[in-house]
Amino acid sequence: MNRFLNFTYAAVQGFYWMYFAVIISFASVFLLDRGYSNSQIGFILAFANILAVLIQPVLADIADRSKKLSLISVVHVMGAALILGTGSLYFMDQRSMVLTGVFVLTGALQISLQPLINSIAFHFTKAGSYINFGATRSVGSVAYALISSILGALVLAFGTRTIPLTGVIVILLLLSALLLTDKLFKRELTVHIPDSSFDIPNEDSAITLLQFMKRNKVFVILTLGIMLVFFQNAVINNFLIQILRNIGGDSSQMGRLFSFMALLEMPGLFFFSRLRKRFSSQAMLKLSSVAFIGKVFFTYLAPSVGFVYLAFLFQLVSFPLFLSSAVHLADEVMEKGEAVKGQSLVTGMMTLSGVFASLLGGAVLDIGGPSQLLLISTILAVVGTVSIFLTVNRV
């Protein structure tokens, strides 16, 4: 049964990252086509991330403390809202306050889903149903690669309306996969724990977010370093089309590059559980931070789209080890009732990096261009890496 549960949860990860590609990675393509400037796109993405930062702790607190709502129930409610928001984007052709508001809300909900979907794996495992997080998350990279390549070609052929249309289809598939996963999990509980509750277990000793931050000060400082390192990742995800157009690229090449990056993530994610047996999460977080520096620095130096492919080879080590080690580190060092909040804080800092990358990125693109933005990203990645090296072994 665990094999099937891993399979369906992998589908959940796959469809989630497909939706991420549609709403976040293709945001600039969609919004540029509707008359928004780089700075305006930056503000929209920033506000989406800011709203997500506000939403995530609330959702984490509900998931940790609620006796009535399981993680999966919360995700179902958010999924229904995303269908409405994404579907409405299909009918909006020009820049407007309504379009701006809908995109901000949709982006915020999408970003807020990530820590909840990650936490589902650990809740399943604690209930006796082991989930191989690295392997299932690698399916997310495959799915991201697939949809990025397809969507890039569809946009060139049929226009940007294909973006929200694809998003609605993907979120429906995500909810279907989640329903099946929940059904399998409940069936497994009835086999191994006959009289158990059908909700995913919550920790009785859950603490408030403020208490969590007071008790884990070094961890909070570590996440600030994570935020600085992840700044460049947000820059590339949000503004790759602008970076590529500066050196002669287009949306189809952007889709292929996103696919290339995602495929490179697969080995690190799939074999992460084996790597953990030989290397600590702390060591892999350090290594991946250095790899992120290499990726953004060589992207800064790139004179052509072909050279960007070489720079993105650092993705083999950077993103998969950074994401997986950060998530596992939070689960390893947190005490009972803190796991979801720890993962939410890590994701929240990554989200904050998206805020700063969006606000600063859009403005820098309009004033100084892509090269200046990539140089700033490199410097921040170096500062963040130093911070991680100084704190990660003290949490």
Side-chain angles (χ1 to χ4, degrees), residues 318-376:
S318 60
F319 184 83
L321 298 192
F322 194 88
L323 174 70
S324 299
S325 59
V327 170
H328 277 280
L329 181 64
D331 193 64
E332 290 165 3
V333 302
M334 295 296 101
E335 296 182 6
K336 187 177 181 181
E338 296 181 340
V340 176
K341 289 185 181 65
Q343 292 163 20
S344 183
L345 185 60
V346 170
T347 307
M349 286 301 182
M350 292 179 180
T351 303
L352 273 178
S353 73
V355 173
F356 298 129
S358 299
L359 288 174
L360 183 61
V364 172
L365 282 172
D366 283 336
I367 297 171
S371 293
Q372 187 171 343
L373 178 57
L374 290 169
L375 179 59
I376 292 171

Side-chain angles (χ1 to χ4, degrees), residues 372-395:
Q372 187 171 343
L373 178 57
L374 290 169
L375 179 59
I376 292 171
S377 301
T378 301
I379 294 170
L380 292 178
V382 171
V383 174
T385 297
V386 171
S387 176
I388 288 172
F389 269 70
L390 293 175
T391 58
V392 71
N393 290 321
R394 297 171 53 197
V395 295

Side-chain angles (χ1 to χ4, degrees), residues 32-45:
L32 283 170
D33 189 59
R34 274 144 185 77
Y36 288 87
S37 68
N38 291 319
S39 295
Q40 290 169 334
I41 293 171
F43 276 110
I44 289 173
L45 294 175

Side-chain angles (χ1 to χ4, degrees), residues 9 13 16-17 20 56 59 71 75 78 108-121 133 137 230 233 319 323-324 327 343-344 346-348 350-351:
Y9 178 72
Q13 284 280 357
Y16 170 78
W17 286 102
F20 178 93
Q56 284 172 351
L59 294 175
L71 275 172
V75 175
M78 295 174 68
L109 288 176
Q110 186 279 326
I111 295 165
S112 299
L113 271 181
Q114 186 178 343
L116 298 182
I117 286 177
N118 289 346
S119 295
I120 286 171
F133 180 79
R137 175 60 183 81
F230 220 65
N233 191 73
F319 184 83
L323 174 70
S324 299
V327 170
Q343 292 163 20
S344 183
V346 170
T347 307
M350 292 179 180
T351 303

Side-chain angles (χ1 to χ4, degrees), residues 97-169:
M97 289 298 294
V98 174
L99 173 54
T100 299
V102 170
F103 204 97
V104 167
L105 288 172
T106 303
L109 288 176
Q110 186 279 326
I111 295 165
S112 299
L113 271 181
Q114 186 178 343
L116 298 182
I117 286 177
N118 289 346
S119 295
I120 286 171
F122 295 100
H123 276 277
F124 282 173
T125 298
K126 289 175 182 177
S129 302
Y130 173 70
I131 298 293
N132 187 328
F133 180 79
T136 53
R137 175 60 183 81
S138 70
V139 174
S141 294
V142 177
Y144 182 97
L146 179 65
I147 201 67
S148 294
S149 183
I150 292 174
L151 192 52
L154 287 175
V155 168
L156 275 183
F158 303 106
T160 55
R161 280 184 183 272
T162 55
I163 295 174
L165 180 60
T166 303
V168 170
I169 294 171

